[in-house]
Structure formats: structure tokens, C-alpha cells
Amino acid sequence: MPIDPTQPYDDSNIFARIMRGEIPSTKVYEDEWAFAFEDINPQAAVHTLVVPKGSYVSWDDFSARAPDEEIAGFVRAVGAVARAKGLVEPGYRLLANVGAHGGQEVAHLHVHIFGGQPLGPMIARR
Ligand code: 5GP
């Protein structure tokens, strides 16, 4: 079920629970600003999720409310994860779904990193 990106942040969401260690994950990176782990249902050869440590429902919430330092830290973390995975030269794709039309299912901002193969069309054909 898609989430409502205008709802207040609720720290019972699954990614907050993963960061608290209440649910296991395959962690690939962590720093002051971000936590990254493998998607449980990968859609490409590489499918890694990067989430900010701060409490933000969506990209909309993050871009509106997060302090500049936190935005910079998170964006740099996404780049660091992609570099660590060796994705820069072959290339990769970032995706942040927002709300119903985006198909967002978890109400904590997450950026998908896809790679490890040619990724095809940018969005599904209708
Ligand atoms: P969204 O549709 O919200 O952009 O993406 C949510 C993503 O979270 C999906 O790709 C889904 O496979 C992943 N996901 C959902 N639950 C879990 C979980 O418990 N662990 C991990 N590692 N990924 C999850």
C-alpha cells in the first residue's frame, strides 16, 4: 500500500526499526548521516537502499525540512555507497519514490541505488 507523504513521521516504520537493529538487514554502509542496506526484494543485480538517520517521511519532507548540513551529508553518503559498490564507471540509477504516484511503500525517506546491469527504460511503459 502506498503511503501518504504528508503524514507526520512515525518511527515504527520498518526502516527506522532496521536502523535500531530491531529487524535484521544486510548493512553495506553507515556514517553520521546515513545508513545503507541491501533491498530485501532486489529489482536489479545491485539494489541498495540508502536512508537518512534523521526522521523524514519522504524526499519532499527531507528537502523541505532538513538542515543543509544533513542534506549534504546524505547526498554524499549516497555517492559513497555507489562508489564503494564499483558502480560509477558502468553507471547506475537513483530513485526516490514519493507518495502514491511514486509507489512509496515505506514512510522513511530512502534512495534506491540500482546497478550491476543495463537498467533499461527510465520508467515502465504504460
Ligand atoms: P518504495 O516502494 O517505498 O520506494 O521501496 C520500498 C523498498 O523497501 C522495496 O524495494 C522493498 O523491497 C524494500 N523493503 C521492504 N521491506 C524491507 C525489509 O524489511 N528489509 C529490506 N532490506 N528491504 C525492505
Side-chain angles (χ1 to χ4, degrees), residues 14-15 18 37-41 97 103-106 110 112:
I14 201 147
F15 294 165
I18 283 174
F37 52 100
E38 304 297 6
D39 196 289
I40 203 167
N41 182 25
N97 292 317
Q104 182 181 0
E105 292 187 342
V106 179
H110 46 287
H112 299 255

Side-chain angles (χ1 to χ4, degrees), residues 23-41:
I23 293 174
S25 69
T26 305
K27 178 172 129 179
V28 299
Y29 180 88
E30 182 172 12
D31 66 17
E32 181 181 357
W33 305 108
F35 187 94
F37 52 100
E38 304 297 6
D39 196 289
I40 203 167
N41 182 25

Side-chain angles (χ1 to χ4, degrees), residues 52 55-68 70-72 74-75 96 98 109:
S55 300
Y56 300 98
V57 171
S58 69
W59 185 269
D60 178 68
D61 187 24
F62 184 67
S63 60
R65 287 200 304 111
D68 291 357
E70 194 169 358
I71 291 173
F74 180 66
V75 170
V98 180
L109 169 63

Side-chain angles (χ1 to χ4, degrees), residues 2-125:
I3 64 104
D4 171 1
T6 66
Q7 71 188 304
Y9 185 81
D10 174 353
D11 74 0
S12 67
N13 73 78
I14 201 147
F15 294 165
R17 296 180 67 198
I18 283 174
M19 277 193 283
R20 290 197 297 268
E22 296 167 9
I23 293 174
S25 69
T26 305
K27 178 172 129 179
V28 299
Y29 180 88
E30 182 172 12
D31 66 17
E32 181 181 357
W33 305 108
F35 187 94
F37 52 100
E38 304 297 6
D39 196 289
I40 203 167
N41 182 25
Q43 305 294 309
V46 174
H47 185 174
T48 303
L49 300 171
V50 191
V51 303
K53 287 196 169 170
S55 300
Y56 300 98
V57 171
S58 69
W59 185 269
D60 178 68
D61 187 24
F62 184 67
S63 60
R65 287 200 304 111
D68 291 357
E69 188 184 27
E70 194 169 358
I71 291 173
F74 180 66
V75 170
R76 288 193 190 283
V78 173
V81 172
R83 278 192 297 280
K85 291 218 154 247
L87 297 177
V88 176
E89 187 275 320
Y92 63 98
R93 181 173 294 163
L94 303 179
L95 177 70
N97 292 317
V98 180
H101 280 191
Q104 182 181 0
E105 292 187 342
V106 179
H108 183 115
L109 169 63
H110 46 287
V111 169
H112 299 255
I113 301 177
F114 297 107
Q117 62 178 82
L119 292 164
M122 190 153 44
I123 60 171
R125 298 283 174 243

